[in-house]
């Protein structure tokens, strides 16, 4: 897993470059996820209607062929056609059906796995479905800012990068196991998640919606500069003055702007990000606790343990044991 994360970081730097907000977004995605993402090809023939229970995962349904309807727990049914991506950032309960009027089956099914029909009827829809497990102990506010369902049409030339990632993922899932396929799948799934989030932010910008919360923070030059600084070096003993200088704002103006957009004061966010980074290192590495403490800015393991327990409810050693 550690090796695939290294490949993922390299891929992000090559594909996305060092743009204004992507590095922070990549960090957010890495921190929010835990375990391995899952995906599979799903084929359904009409009539069909399945209900999916709420789960601690960010799920997606991507239509490759045909049409279907996504039935959110709240709101109107959403028609999905070829190339459409439906992303559920918090794993909300929902349904999939050939028509909104088709009775939904019980009990709820899982989001991934083999749900293909077993008869010879022509398929109504062929989809890629998958999920990213989320760290429920410290959900990132970016995911909470997103709507229950994100619908992204990729046809007619929209979101070309997302469409290309979908095509590559589909080819890899259709192929027999080849050298490196495990790392390729994991990397493509990570890239897919980033492309989905990027496409959503771009949709909001193009549609003229006023960005709020993290969407606004990532595209605000001053706040984004401070976030980049914190994410690039969380172990540094940052002050509000130093972060304000990165943002090219006075201390007071920067503190107000950062708190308004990010939802917490700069140094409170710094502490929160340090603990989030530490939790990721505890899950994905064998580094000693005192080494991780130093990496995130704590010279005292006792102080680090106290801060970590305050955020996660358990000391680092216990967290690592249960996460493992």
């Amino acid at each position: 897993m550690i090796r695939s994360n290294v490949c993922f970081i390299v891929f992000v730097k090559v594909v996305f470059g060092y743009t204004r907000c992507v590095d922070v977004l990549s960090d957010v995605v890495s921190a929010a996820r835990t375990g391995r993402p899952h995906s599979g090809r799903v084929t359904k023939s009409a009539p069909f209607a399945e209900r999916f229970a709420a789960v601690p995962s960010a799920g997606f349904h991507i239509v490759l062929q045909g049409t279907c309807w996504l039935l959110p727990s709240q709101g109107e049914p959403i028609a999905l056609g070829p190339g459409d991506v439906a992303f559920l950032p918090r794993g909300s309960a929902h349904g999939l059906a050939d028509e909104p009027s088709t009775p939904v089956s019980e009990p709820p099914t899982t989001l991934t796995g083999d749900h293909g029909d077993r008869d010879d009827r022509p398929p109504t829809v062929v989809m890629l479905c998958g999920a990213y497990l989320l760290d429920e102990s410290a959900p990132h506010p970016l995911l909470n800012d997103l709507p229950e369902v994100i619908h992204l049409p990729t046809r007619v030339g929209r979101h070309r990068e997302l469409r290309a990632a979908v095509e590559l993922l589909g080819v890899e899932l259709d192929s027999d196991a080849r050298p490196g396929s495990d790392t390729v799948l994991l990397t493509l799934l990570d890239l897919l998640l980033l492309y989905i989030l990027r496409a959503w932010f771009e949709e909001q910008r193009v549609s003229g919606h006023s960005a709020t919360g993290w969407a606004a923070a990532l595209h605000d030059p001053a706040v984004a500069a401070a976030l980049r600084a914190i994410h690039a070096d969380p172990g540094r003993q940052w002050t509000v003055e130093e972060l304000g200088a990165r943002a090219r704002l006075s201390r007071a103006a920067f503190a107000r702007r950062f708190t308004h957009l990010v939802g917490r004061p700069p140094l409170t966010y710094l502490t929160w990000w340090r603990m989030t980074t530490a939790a990721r290192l505890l899950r994905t590495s064998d580094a000693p606790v005192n080494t991780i403490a130093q990496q995130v800015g704590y010279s005292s393991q006792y102080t680090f343990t106290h801060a970590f327990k305050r955020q996660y409810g358990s000391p680092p050693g216990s967290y690592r044991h249960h996460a493992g």
Side-chain angles (χ1 to χ4, degrees), residues 226-244:
L227 285 170
R228 286 199 307 275
I230 289 172
H231 282 242
D233 191 3
R236 180 170 172 171
Q237 301 306 310
W238 292 102
T239 65
V240 177
E241 287 84 357
E242 287 178 309
L243 292 171

Side-chain angles (χ1 to χ4, degrees), residues 222 243-250:
L243 292 171
R246 295 294 182 102
R248 299 185 177 182
L249 293 172
S250 69

Side-chain angles (χ1 to χ4, degrees), residues 12 82 89 99 147 153 187 191 221 228 241 273 290 305 312 315:
V12 170
E99 295 290 344
T187 303
L191 286 173
R228 286 199 307 275
E241 287 84 357
W273 181 249
N290 66 320
T305 299
Y312 285 91

Side-chain angles (χ1 to χ4, degrees), residues 10-320:
V10 172
F11 252 67
V12 170
K13 289 181 178 179
V14 172
V15 175
F16 290 99
Y18 292 92
T19 60
R20 174 164 294 174
C21 66
V22 169
D23 288 336
V24 175
L25 183 58
S26 301
D27 278 350
V28 167
V29 168
S30 297
R33 287 207 305 100
T34 183
R36 295 164 62 94
H38 302 280
S39 65
R41 183 180 287 264
V42 175
T43 302
K44 302 300 297 181
S45 298
F48 71 90
E50 294 180 324
R51 182 167 66 88
F52 297 87
V55 290
S57 304
F60 64 85
H61 300 289
I62 302 172
V63 178
L64 301 179
Q65 301 174 28
T67 61
C68 66
W69 290 79
L70 186 136
L71 312 174
S73 58
Q74 298 179 353
E76 296 298 318
I78 300 171
L80 301 178
D84 282 10
V85 175
F87 179 61
L88 297 97
R90 293 180 295 281
S92 305
H94 64 285
L96 284 175
D98 63 315
E99 295 290 344
S101 58
T102 303
V104 178
S105 63
E106 299 288 347
T109 59
T110 57
L111 191 58
T112 59
D114 182 11
H115 306 307
D117 290 310
R118 302 298 185 184
D119 57 34
D120 295 327
R121 292 177 297 166
T124 303
V125 63
V126 179
M127 294 177 289
L128 290 178
C129 300
Y132 305 88
L133 297 177
L134 302 177
D135 182 4
E136 290 186 287
S137 58
H140 198 282
L142 182 146
L143 296 178
N144 293 331
D145 285 345
L146 299 175
E148 178 185 354
V149 179
I150 291 176
H151 177 210
L152 295 168
T154 67
R155 52 191 181 275
V156 197
R158 297 170 68 181
H159 311 307
R160 289 177 296 173
E161 304 99 329
L162 177 56
R163 188 168 66 250
V166 169
E167 291 174 356
L168 285 172
L169 185 58
V171 169
E172 197 64 31
L173 287 171
D174 280 345
S175 304
D176 295 329
R178 291 179 292 179
S181 61
D182 186 58
T183 298
V184 169
L185 278 173
L186 291 175
T187 303
L188 286 173
L189 285 168
D190 280 327
L191 286 173
L192 178 70
L193 178 54
L194 281 169
Y195 278 134
I196 288 173
L197 294 174
R198 234 171 59 165
W200 166 250
F201 291 138
E202 180 65 15
E203 289 259 321
Q204 298 307 291
R205 185 188 66 81
V206 172
S207 64
H209 288 108
S210 297
T212 59
W214 267 81
L218 291 176
H219 290 89
D220 181 278
V223 174
L227 285 170
R228 286 199 307 275
I230 289 172
H231 282 242
D233 191 3
R236 180 170 172 171
Q237 301 306 310
W238 292 102
T239 65
V240 177
E241 287 84 357
E242 287 178 309
L243 292 171
R246 295 294 182 102
R248 299 185 177 182
L249 293 172
S250 69
R251 180 186 186 282
F254 163 71
R256 285 194 302 269
R257 192 159 171 176
F258 189 99
T259 304
H260 172 69
L261 293 179
V262 176
R264 59 189 83 189
L267 298 188
T268 302
Y269 179 82
L270 171 62
T271 299
W272 181 85
W273 181 249
R274 284 173 170 175
M275 295 302 103
T276 302
T277 301
R280 180 175 54 188
L281 292 171
L282 287 167
R283 292 195 307 265
T284 61
S285 79
D286 297 323
V289 172
N290 66 320
T291 300
I292 293 176
Q294 292 173 2
Q295 279 187 255
V296 297
Y298 289 82
S299 57
S300 164
Q301 185 173 331
Y302 173 81
T303 305
F304 166 70
T305 299
H306 181 72
F308 190 90
K309 186 175 181 179
R310 186 167 58 245
Q311 179 164 318
Y312 285 91
S314 62
S318 297
Y319 177 89
R320 169 175 272 170

